[in-house]
Amino acid sequence: ANAPEELLFALCHEVGNLIAAIRLHGRFADEESRARISELTDRAGSLVALVRPLVSNPPRRVPVLEPLVLLVTLQRGLDDVGGARVRVELKSAVGLPGVAIDGETLHHLLMADLFAALEDLPGGERVRVAAELVPEGVAFVLEVPGQAVADAPARKLAGRALTHALGAEILGKRGGGVTVGGPRVCFRVPAG
């Protein structure tokens, strides 16, 4: 496991890299660059939003949220950026138990991992996002066809390795965790 301070420094470094990329793309204001700028700024915003849940204790009480509401909010967040490259399976969340987590924290964690997955997404492929029942509650699954995800200890703290380590730390303090296997990453959240 990585120390929270180490994760914070890696997170800040990642945000710095994204902002530098934003500046570079800002010089070329054609339509494609504007779309890229939008994606990069949203990605940076999601990473920065994870600083608070990383370094603070979880709230004593959190509202119970429906997994379907979380997936609908995620899909809305993708409308302007990356939406065509992501398939959110809303039906997968129907009938699942509510989860005990701050919705904003989970939203930014999933968005940060989605943006990182889209960086290396082969042309024509789509990231699949779904919810499924797990022993402790519900898992929010991101699956990239044909893209196996390496186990976190073997990777540098950047991109998806960073979001998985952040997820393990943030969700671990809240009774959940992250499972990485093949092309699937499961962000596990306890039932409410």
Side-chain angles (χ1 to χ4, degrees):
N2 297 290
E5 295 84 3
E6 180 184 356
L7 290 171
L8 182 59
F9 296 148
L11 188 153
C12 291
H13 181 77
E14 189 86 5
V15 170
N17 287 342
L18 292 171
I19 291 170
I22 291 165
R23 286 190 191 114
L24 179 63
H25 282 279
R27 294 182 181 162
F28 310 100
D30 59 33
E31 188 175 328
E32 183 180 333
S33 289
R34 284 192 301 273
R36 184 71 175 137
I37 288 167
S38 181
E39 185 176 306
L40 290 168
T41 55
D42 284 356
R43 183 176 175 192
S46 284
L47 286 171
V48 170
L50 295 174
V51 171
R52 182 181 297 269
L54 176 65
V55 299
S56 61
N57 291 322
R60 292 182 194 267
R61 295 176 51 96
V62 292
V64 175
L65 300 172
E66 296 302 318
L68 180 59
V69 171
L70 289 164
L71 288 184
V72 166
T73 303
L74 188 73
Q75 188 172 46
R76 265 193 222 120
L78 291 165
D79 283 347
D80 294 333
V81 289
R85 298 182 294 159
V86 180
R87 185 177 79 241
V88 180
E89 296 180 357
L90 299 177
K91 288 183 181 180
S92 68
V94 174
L96 293 179
V99 293
I101 191 160
D102 166 47
E104 186 177 343
T105 296
L106 183 59
H107 174 79
H108 286 297
L109 192 53
L110 294 174
M111 287 295 284
D113 197 50
L114 268 170
F115 285 131
L118 292 173
E119 282 288 313
D120 300 317
L121 187 66
E125 295 288 353
R126 294 172 79 190
V127 177
R128 175 183 169 265
V129 181
E132 61 186 43
L133 197 61
V134 292
E136 65 265 47
V138 174
F140 293 87
V141 181
L142 273 67
E143 186 173 346
V144 183
Q147 191 180 99
V149 181
D151 194 21
R155 299 181 292 160
K156 179 184 168 192
L157 281 176
R160 293 195 80 192
L162 176 58
T163 58
H164 301 162
L166 288 167
E169 180 68 27
I170 291 168
L171 296 178
K173 294 192 293 188
R174 289 158 175 81
V178 176
T179 304
V180 176
R184 289 170 45 102
V185 178
C186 300
F187 293 87
R188 301 182 327 275
V189 182

